[in-house]
Amino acid sequence: MLRESASGSTEDTTEAQRAHESAPESVQSDSGAVVLEVRAMRRVYGATVALAGVDLEVQAGEIHGLVGPNGAGKSTLVRILAGLEPPDSGEISIAGETFSALSSSEEARKRGLAFLHQSFGLVENISILDNICLVTGYIRRSGRISWRDSANAARRTLAKVGLEGIDLKSDANQIPLAQQAAVAIARALELKAKVLVLDEPTSALQEHEVDVLFEILRNLTAKGVACLFVSHRMNEVLAICDRVTVLRDGLAVATLVKTELNEARLVNLIAGLENADTRPPQASDAGTSAAMTTVAAPESEVPRLLINGAFSESVGPIDARIEPGTIVGVTGLADSGHLHLAAMIAGIETSEGVMELDGHAYAPKTVSDSLSRGVAYLPPERLASGLAGGLSLRENLFMNPPQPWYRPIRPRRERQMAREVLHRSSVRPEEPEREVVTLSGGNQQKLLLAKWLSMQPRLLILCEGTAGVDVGAKRDIYEMLRRRCAGEGLAVVMASSDFTEMCDVCDEVLVLARGSQVSLLRGRDITLTAITRAAYSSPIRSREAQTI
Amino acid sequence: MARVSATPLKTEEPQILDGHGDDQGTRRRVDLINLLSRYAIPLLLIVIVATFCLLKPSTFATADNIDSVLSIEAVTIMVALAGAMVLVVGEFDVSVANNTALVAALVVGLQVLQHVSWLLAIIIGLAVSVVAGLLNGFLVVKLHMSSFVATLGTYSLLEGAWIWYLSDQTLSPTKPMATPFVDIGRASLFGIYAPFYVAIILAMVAWFVLSYLPTGRRMYAVGGNRQAARLSGIKADRMVIGAFVAAGLLAGIGGLLLGAQYLDASPGAGSELLFPAFAAVFLGATTIRPGRYNIVGLLVAAYALAFMISGLQQLGGVWSEQWIGPTFNGAALVIGVALSTSAFAARERRSKREQLRRLVVGASASRPGKGLIKNAGVNDVAH
């Protein structure tokens, strides 16, 4: 099947053949010359300014870090470079040639940009050889694929990234992740890439695999290839980057060279606190961010939820105590595991360790377990897992009617109740028979929250509860939660990677980084700086202590 | 097909919220279009019956003809009800048609060949249909098979079973069959045979369960978004298995009606039910409660199709040829689904556009009164 599909594209092959025959080195360029330059790049979505005029300069032979908080515009910039979307204004120069936009990923590739994404982009269940040839083209002799020549070419390709001994016939998903990354890099380079853009390439890799990847990158830069390394892992950025550009609010706020680089400085730039170093240090967030802050707080006799050494593959060990009537934030960067912790409490993911709900052992195996104990879980993706878009607001609110099976639903009464709920939670419009898909994101989120609150939970777990929600709806949501906390002693676990939100609503914030609990902040200690510092720290997870 | 079965169909375009200053005329026109599309199929049924009554007053507009269409269609309706039960929970069951055929063969065959009492024959027949439903549910829920593939398998399995049972022969009773059994198919009330009443009563039960009992709500919830249903505490797997079992039982009752109507079971009877039944389900989902598999719509669509085909056959000439039935049912199914999926796609597009607009408006609510924003009606959006 593969052979057939491959034989369809003759042009590709001839082009690739030429590539194979040409000089083995992918690029010849002087180290230090600017190979990629972005000038005054601007991109606006509706009223959201993603890029507000970014300038960026990448030199041949350097590894250039690109860091910034969530929503700073990193991914927009990468997408524009990849030709996936056009900028509103600005210029891109690649090796001296200037473009106003790269019209397609094909063009980006042709101009010498190569990309390595989190998942590396290999086709899992076909061979390494096919994965390489799909990009570089198969070599033909008299119209038919010559497997021997193709394999030799692939071997030469792989040799450049130090992957000599690999079995070309094994499927892509059968080799270690670091090698998959290497294959992806190798085939990208075969297209004569001048700049390799790596977008969070290490998030799936183990510690030692990261070292392998870095070794490959260093070899590449020695040959004059430039790397743009997009990451939020400070220790990796510090370890490998020659220069680092910090992006914030759609602007490049600083570019630091190796000698200027240190973790505190980077984190301050990311958090928008350039002058933080000159301020009198606060008690809890000065010094090493990874240190656990232990603050004594007033404790009730019985906590709503007690977590003791909860641990799973992706998060833990976690110790936490959640009091009735409080909102506890669980936060961290996208891959910190905060959502896994939420899922663990809800019984969706399994965990080791002990949990107690209102003083009684709590070990949910399924969602119905946790629900029957009064723990409600609001999933991160509204329409994907929280609401049925094709059903009406009323049906969504009363999806699981509480009455016995033989008692009919009374639509009029239900409509009345629905209208009250919608009014109370300020969902607009207050039309119970309207379909959920016709609501805006903010109103959907409020509806979802109203639905879950109408189940009268004792503990509510909210995952990325306000993502993609406008400011007004956010305020409504916070108010709803506050009211229920104060009135009924509801406890809320708010898992979110929106640090500002943590500062706005939470009584306590648990900060995770790479699955480890790095900080517990309370009351006045909850500041953007403190959260950012903790979230960007790089703790080593002590897995052994817990698993065995 | 999978897409269609999972997402309820929709012909109605939900109106987008458009502030208070919106053009009332446009809105009224939209309402009229909605109304028309909602009742298009019932209207069609009336038009069909009226037309053929005028065209063929001596054959179509007779009590006998109407009666025979009503009662013959009862079996199709049972199969359609069975299909709808499973579609509501977001799965698909093709096997119901051969379930009906197998049970028809069993209830007659057990009496004629094995000399079993009529009551026991019925019990065995229905038990088999329930087991078939249970098997489907098991394959889909426990083995995580795609329901289309799984039931395609059991479809063929059931077909094999009844062909084997009848050894490819048509059964003809050698002695008169038990009266109560014959009555199921032949008893009449107000000149209409019993199967019609059985189908209508069961359809009403299904309608009541789906629209008014908690179970029905849960079924629609599972079909609408299984994950959301689970998070609401609904035991989704149990609902899906239940739907397959209910489908099996309904199909089995259809088989009982079929067997009692003809008192023989000719090979092929069941497979011929598949298309008319699913055409009725899908077409029915575009009417009465558009976007939802609904029982009233199903009944209306089933009879519209049945009267249409019966009428065409009486026109004679090319219209009475064998190919008309399947062609017509196939076309109705395709057109019904096409209408509703294109409307569904339009709805998706609109709601996406809507959300984008809301994003713009929401973010710039602080400076209202500018082009786009004004038209969008800030009142509705800025809470």
Side-chain angles (χ1 to χ4, degrees):
Chain A
M1 206 158 92
L2 252 174
R3 286 173 203 227
E4 272 170 20
S5 68
S7 61
S9 54
T10 31
E11 302 145 67
D12 258 19
T13 321
T14 46
E15 196 183 316
Q17 218 158 354
R18 252 180 278 123
H20 282 294
E21 287 151 8
S22 68
E25 280 313 295
S26 34
V27 229
Q28 258 89 27
S29 49
D30 310 320
S31 257
V34 174
V35 63
L36 170 70
E37 194 179 356
V38 169
R39 272 187 303 270
M41 182 71 67
R42 209 179 140 76
R43 175 75 175 139
V44 179
Y45 302 100
T48 315
V49 181
L51 296 178
V54 166
D55 296 304
L56 178 71
E57 199 184 85
V58 181
Q59 294 167 356
E62 76 165 342
I63 298 180
H64 194 110
L66 186 63
V67 299
N70 293 335
K74 286 174 298 184
S75 35
T76 307
L77 184 59
V78 170
R79 287 176 60 80
I80 289 174
L81 288 177
L84 296 174
E85 57 182 274
D88 292 332
S89 60
E91 286 177 344
I92 305 167
S93 295
I94 301 166
E97 274 185 281
T98 303
F99 312 94
S100 64
L102 299 169
S103 61
S104 64
S105 47
E106 183 64 22
E107 194 186 342
R109 203 182 78 176
K110 233 182 267 168
R111 303 295 174 206
L113 300 182
F115 294 83
L116 183 70
H117 296 287
Q118 268 171 38
S119 48
F120 312 137
L122 298 186
V123 184
E124 284 188 355
N125 45 11
I126 65 173
S127 70
I128 303 288
L129 177 61
D130 284 323
N131 262 298
I132 293 172
C133 291
L134 279 176
V135 171
T136 61
Y138 291 86
I139 295 178
R140 285 150 201 267
R141 288 203 185 279
S142 54
R144 295 173 56 185
I145 293 175
S146 163
W147 290 99
R148 192 188 302 158
D149 291 346
S150 295
N152 286 337
R155 258 182 224 111
R156 277 198 300 277
T157 303
L158 290 172
K160 288 177 204 160
V161 293
L163 272 185
E164 275 92 358
I166 200 165
D167 179 10
L168 287 173
K169 287 201 186 75
S170 53
D171 284 356
N173 56 359
Q174 285 170 353
I175 60 171
L177 278 169
Q179 291 190 0
Q180 290 184 28
V183 170
I185 292 174
R187 71 177 189 180
L189 294 175
E190 206 50 51
L191 303 164
K192 298 192 174 181
K194 300 185 186 77
V195 183
L196 179 62
V197 181
L198 302 109
D199 191 2
E200 303 284 1
T202 57
S203 54
L205 299 183
Q206 303 279 325
E207 213 77 20
H208 64 276
E209 292 179 317
V210 172
D211 295 339
V212 175
L213 178 68
F214 284 1
E215 195 51 44
I216 294 170
L217 294 185
R218 285 199 191 93
N219 286 336
L220 284 180
T221 51
K223 292 173 189 162
V225 178
C227 292
L228 185 62
F229 187 82
V230 185
S231 179
H232 55 237
R233 297 196 162 178
M234 287 306 119
N235 62 333
E236 290 173 7
V237 169
L238 291 169
I240 192 159
C241 292
D242 301 305
R243 293 196 300 163
V244 176
T245 295
V246 181
L247 224 55
R248 200 179 63 239
D249 300 331
L251 282 170
V253 290
T255 298
L256 306 177
V257 299
K258 191 119 201 167
T259 49
E260 301 172 310
L261 281 175
N262 65 60
E263 186 163 342
R265 190 153 182 199
L266 269 185
V267 171
N268 282 337
L269 280 167
I270 290 168
L273 301 153
E274 286 93 323
N275 304 322
D277 288 355
T278 60
R279 273 189 335 178
Q282 285 184 352
S284 60
D285 61 31
T288 56
S289 47
M292 284 274 303
T293 37
T294 43
V295 186
E299 290 182 353
S300 60
E301 319 81 73
V302 186
R304 179 54 44 84
L305 183 72
L306 193 69
I307 304 174
N308 209 336
F311 186 88
S312 77
E313 206 171 76
S314 34
V315 68
I318 305 287
D319 296 305
R321 193 185 159 92
I322 294 162
E323 306 293 338
T326 60
I327 299 180
V328 176
V330 177
T331 193
L333 301 170
D335 61 349
S336 67
H338 62 291
L339 294 177
H340 289 288
L341 177 59
M344 219 152 92
I345 301 173
I348 289 169
E349 289 179 19
T350 52
S351 69
E352 293 158 46
V354 183
M355 289 194 277
E356 267 178 33
L357 189 73
D358 295 314
H360 301 287
Y362 170 68
K365 296 265 182 304
T366 62
V367 186
S368 353
D369 282 357
S370 59
L371 211 59
S372 66
R373 295 288 298 274
V375 177
Y377 171 77
L378 244 104
E381 282 153 357
R382 289 188 282 283
L383 272 183
S385 48
L387 294 170
L391 300 188
S392 69
L393 306 192
R394 169 170 69 96
E395 286 165 315
N396 269 285
L397 280 175
F398 307 109
M399 220 177 224
N400 192 8
Q403 70 253 49
W405 69 269
Y406 52 83
R407 184 157 302 158
I409 289 163
R410 287 153 65 193
R412 193 170 301 162
R413 195 162 146 259
E414 231 184 38
R415 248 192 298 277
Q416 183 61 35
M417 278 158 55
R419 219 171 270 125
E420 276 164 29
V421 174
L422 296 179
H423 181 74
R424 241 194 344 252
S425 8
S426 49
V427 175
R428 296 291 177 276
E430 292 171 23
E431 292 171 27
E433 299 309 310
R434 181 174 280 277
E435 269 180 71
V436 163
V437 280
T438 63
L439 254 55
S440 71
N443 278 307
Q444 285 180 7
Q445 194 63 32
K446 284 190 272 183
L447 177 74
L448 188 57
L449 194 60
K451 171 179 152 123
W452 257 256
L453 286 175
S454 71
M455 294 180 195
Q456 306 288 342
R458 306 174 63 71
L459 176 69
L460 178 72
I461 305 161
L462 195 66
C463 291
E464 304 291 1
T466 58
V469 166
D470 64 276
V471 191
K474 259 186 198 172
R475 206 175 44 217
D476 288 346
I477 289 172
Y478 298 157
E479 257 170 39
M480 259 160 93
L481 291 176
R482 272 274 156 244
R483 221 180 307 139
R484 296 295 281 259
C485 286
E488 296 150 37
L490 169 78
V492 179
V493 172
M494 207 165 182
S496 161
S497 48
D498 182 347
F499 297 163
T500 330
E501 175 169 285
M502 295 288 117
C503 301
D504 288 349
V505 279
C506 293
D507 301 309
E508 272 182 41
V509 176
L510 186 68
V511 187
L512 307 184
R514 299 203 202 169
S516 293
Q517 177 176 352
V518 287
S519 183
L520 179 67
L521 305 165
R522 286 205 173 98
R524 220 175 273 173
D525 295 336
I526 305 174
T527 61
L528 208 52
T529 336
I531 297 176
T532 311
R533 283 211 177 135
Y536 279 94
S537 64
S538 21
I540 310 238
R541 268 186 86 192
S542 54
R543 207 173 280 249
E544 298 75 20
Q546 289 295 325
T547 42
I548 305 162
Chain B
M1 203 68 147
R3 158 91 191 245
V4 170
S5 65
T7 39
L9 319 169
K10 186 88 188 165
T11 48
E12 180 198 31
E13 281 269 309
Q15 312 145 217
I16 288 177
L17 271 208
D18 265 329
H20 306 294
D22 200 32
D23 181 5
Q24 288 292 320
T26 324
R27 178 164 273 191
R28 220 170 288 136
R29 208 173 62 226
V30 170
D31 279 350
L32 191 69
I33 292 170
N34 280 343
L35 207 69
L36 265 179
S37 78
R38 170 169 294 199
Y39 295 108
I41 309 283
L43 216 63
L44 192 68
L45 173 60
I46 294 169
V47 170
I48 288 168
V49 173
T51 313
F52 284 112
C53 281
L54 289 176
L55 285 177
K56 288 276 162 190
S58 57
T59 51
F60 188 85
T62 59
D64 266 3
N65 181 52
I66 302 280
D67 176 24
S68 86
V69 172
L70 287 180
S71 51
I72 288 172
E73 195 59 13
V75 179
T76 312
I77 287 175
M78 293 309 301
V79 179
L81 286 177
M85 284 296 139
V86 176
L87 283 168
V88 165
V89 295
E91 300 287 352
F92 198 83
D93 189 350
V94 207
S95 75
V96 285
N98 269 329
N99 193 331
T100 300
L102 173 62
V103 175
L106 277 177
V107 289
V108 179
L110 285 171
Q111 295 180 66
V112 176
L113 301 173
Q114 276 80 34
H115 309 291
V116 169
S117 83
W118 65 274
L119 193 60
L120 191 59
I122 291 175
I123 291 170
I124 294 175
L126 295 185
V128 168
S129 68
V130 166
V131 169
L134 210 55
L135 174 67
N136 284 332
F138 174 80
L139 293 177
V140 171
V141 170
K142 300 292 176 196
L143 300 189
H144 305 287
M145 286 177 75
S146 129
S147 58
F148 187 77
V149 175
T151 59
L152 201 62
T154 49
Y155 173 88
S156 190
L157 218 83
L158 292 170
E159 182 163 306
W162 68 257
I163 292 176
W164 166 78
Y165 180 67
L166 294 180
S167 312
D168 229 359
Q169 284 172 339
T170 301
L171 288 179
S172 317
T174 45
K175 56 174 183 173
M177 301 188 73
T179 328
F181 184 75
V182 175
D183 280 348
I184 293 175
R186 301 283 163 92
S188 77
L189 182 67
F190 306 122
I192 303 173
Y193 290 124
F196 170 74
Y197 296 105
V198 175
I200 292 298
I201 289 169
L202 286 172
M204 276 165 62
V205 171
W207 167 78
F208 184 75
V209 170
L210 286 179
S211 317
Y212 288 101
L213 286 188
T215 313
R217 172 68 53 78
R218 292 189 191 113
M219 285 172 75
Y220 277 118
V222 168
N225 186 339
R226 195 161 300 177
Q227 183 65 11
R230 278 210 183 96
L231 292 176
S232 311
I234 297 171
K235 298 194 166 59
D237 287 352
R238 210 179 284 179
M239 301 304 298
V240 173
I241 293 181
F244 274 109
V245 171
L249 184 61
L250 287 168
I253 295 173
L256 168 62
L257 296 181
L258 184 64
Q261 259 175 358
Y262 293 98
L263 301 181
D264 64 3
S266 49
S271 332
E272 283 165 16
L273 291 168
L274 184 65
F275 267 84
F278 277 97
V281 180
F282 286 119
L283 212 56
T286 65
T287 189
I288 311 289
R289 289 216 60 179
R292 201 162 292 194
Y293 299 106
N294 71 86
I295 304 300
V296 181
L298 179 157
L299 286 179
V300 174
Y303 279 116
L305 290 174
F307 278 116
M308 185 80 189
I309 290 169
S310 153
L312 284 177
Q313 275 165 355
Q314 288 172 29
L315 283 184
V318 69
W319 297 110
S320 61
E321 283 172 25
Q322 278 288 315
W323 59 270
I324 282 293
T327 311
F328 194 80
N329 282 319
L333 189 130
V334 169
I335 291 168
V337 174
L339 276 179
S340 32
T341 40
S342 66
F344 184 83
R347 175 177 64 166
E348 291 239 294
R349 270 200 305 280
R350 267 176 95 159
S351 90
K352 258 197 206 115
R353 220 182 309 142
E354 167 81 343
Q355 279 175 16
L356 190 71
R357 201 186 63 188
R358 279 169 187 283
L359 201 70
V360 174
V361 175
S364 52
S366 52
R367 44 183 178 87
K370 288 192 174 178
L372 224 185
I373 299 156
K374 199 168 166 189
N375 296 335
V378 182
N379 339 4
D380 287 325
V381 186
H383 27 267

